[in-house]
């Protein structure tokens, strides 16, 4: 008999069931493949689910961020403050607007944007701040609003990690002028590729709808004569539309959001209990005001206590067929971005500190208890093969 090989456990993946497939098939049999009734239905469902007035569906999370910046009025020569610990899109979309990303530090405990660093980076060219709800934890929006609202600087929430999360019981989607969501397969719900901007602001919603469809001004067209082919483009826009096929998938996925987030929280709780007993590996801290949606479960690996540090643990787990990842290499380390951005005056020491230590462990709704058991066993095994860490936290405390 050939030796059985355990399947590779990824750090994240989608969960599709029969109802998702049926929803998509129904669209394929219908009249519209794109810009039909399912797009509007998905937008309405999401807006209702998050208690937000408008949802504007777009083709991915990056487009959601790009259009949010444009709708906030970001133009050539402006500055937009972004955190160092995020996915490249948070900054590349600022560059797409012709503006300069100003990169500021994050907290070493949470990985979230540091309000003091934001304040120190504000200039008279600052047009917006993009707050990233890193790992699924909402930023400290009260503190951010306190320093930014008197200066009339809007906040755009990059909530690509935090669909389903809350801050002081307030749902994500209600914490900033505009909120960008992503429906990539590793995110909370998926449409393959997809995104949405949530906003309470009527003018912003109107601008977002215009920009996602080439800037074609249908209202203007409709006002002149409903029966003419005549149209105009009054603003330079994009084709950032989401299809009806994708929207049908989004509609059925959204029905399962609560269950998906609940399972992620269960897994996170098991990890928390496990790492309580492991010296040298500490999960990121979740502030009391926040209910995390746990897009990621990130631990900090102390290189002084775990031989070989994060990279050795990554390699050992990979050999045991456990997929982990690093979220993220700070954006000022990325070759194409580095020369085009500016670092805030206080530097990004905490982001550098985190970058040396962080590792994202598998967490996704389809992850079974058996999968989780394999991950925990693999971590225990990986640590036993490194010399310095097979001791209990209490013993370490006692001996230090
Ligand atoms: C996924 C993600 C994006 C981009 O979303 P896409 O749908 O992949 O374009 C932007 N910001 C963050 C923080 C993300 O995790």
């Amino acid at each position: 008999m050939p030796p059985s090989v355990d399947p590779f456990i990824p750090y994240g993946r989608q969960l599709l069931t029969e109802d998702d497939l049926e929803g998509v098939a129904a669209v394929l049999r219908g009249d519209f493949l794109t810009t039909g009734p399912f797009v509007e239905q998905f937008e309405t469902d999401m807006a209702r689910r998050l208690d937000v007035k408008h949802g504007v569906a777009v083709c991915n999370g990056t487009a959601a961020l790009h259009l949010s910046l444009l709708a906030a009025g970001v133009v050539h020569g402006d500055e937009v403050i972004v955190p160092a610990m995020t996915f490249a899109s948070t900054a590349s979309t600022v560059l797409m607007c012709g503006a300069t990303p100003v990169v500021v530090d994050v907290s070493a405990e949470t990985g979230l944007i540091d309000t003091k660093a934001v304040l120190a980076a504000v200039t008279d060219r600052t047009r917006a701040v993009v707050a990233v709800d890193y790992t699924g934890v909402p930023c400290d929006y009260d503190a951010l609003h306190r320093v930014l609202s008197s200066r009339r600087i809007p906040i755009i929430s990059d909530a690509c990690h935090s669909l389903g999360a809350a801050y002081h019981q307030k749902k994500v989607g209600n914490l900033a002028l505009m909120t960008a969501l992503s429906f990539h397969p590793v995110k909370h719900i998926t449409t393959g590729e997809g995104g949405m901007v949530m906003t309470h602001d009527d003018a912003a919603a109107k601008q977002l709808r215009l920009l996602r469809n080439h800037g074609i001004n249908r209202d203007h067209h409709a006002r002149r004569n409903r029966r003419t082919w005549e149209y105009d483009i009054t603003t330079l826009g994009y084709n950032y539309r989401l299809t009806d096929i994708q929207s049908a998938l989004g509609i059925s996925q959204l029905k399962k959001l609560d269950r998906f987030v609940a399972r992620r929280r269960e897994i996170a709780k098991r990890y928390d209990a496990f790492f309580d007993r492991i010296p040298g590996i500490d999960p990121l801290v979740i502030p009391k005001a926040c209910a995390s949606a746990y897009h990621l479960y990130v631990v900090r690996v102390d290189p002084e206590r775990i031989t070989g540090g994060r990279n050795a643990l990554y390699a050992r787990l990979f050999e045991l067929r456990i997929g982990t990842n690093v979220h993220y290499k700070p954006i000022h380390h990325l070759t194409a971005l580095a020369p085009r951005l500016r670092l805030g005056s206080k530097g990004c020491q905490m982001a550098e500190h985190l970058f040396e230590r962080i590792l994202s462990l598998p967490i996704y709704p389809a992850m079974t208890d058996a999968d989780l058991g394999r991950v925990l066993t693999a971590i225990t095994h990986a640590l036993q093969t490194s010399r310095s860490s097979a001791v209990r936290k209490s013993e370490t405390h006692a001996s230090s």
Side-chain angles (χ1 to χ4, degrees), residues 156-227:
I156 292 165
S157 170
D158 179 340
C160 292
H161 292 187
S162 61
L163 176 60
Y167 172 80
H168 288 297
Q169 269 88 47
K170 237 181 179 178
K171 287 178 196 169
V172 158
N174 296 278
L175 304 169
L177 174 63
M178 282 170 272
T179 301
L181 303 174
S182 165
F183 310 127
H184 180 276
V186 295
K187 307 290 165 76
H188 294 86
I189 64 166
T190 190
T191 59
E193 298 283 357
M196 201 179 285
V197 184
M198 311 309 298
T199 184
H200 286 283
D201 190 288
D202 296 339
K206 194 175 171 199
Q207 190 67 6
L208 292 163
R209 291 183 194 288
L210 196 66
L211 290 170
R212 80 166 162 191
N213 188 32
H214 308 285
I216 295 175
N217 192 338
R218 283 182 186 279
D219 289 347
H220 174 70
H221 168 56
R223 246 188 291 129
R224 284 170 64 184
N225 189 339
R226 278 191 170 274
R227 286 196 184 174

Side-chain angles (χ1 to χ4, degrees), residues 60-62 65 86-87 89-90 132 158 160-161 182 187 194 328:
N60 56 55
T62 304
L65 283 169
T86 185
F87 183 59
S89 292
T90 313
V132 178
D158 179 340
C160 292
H161 292 187
S182 165
K187 307 290 165 76
Y328 292 97

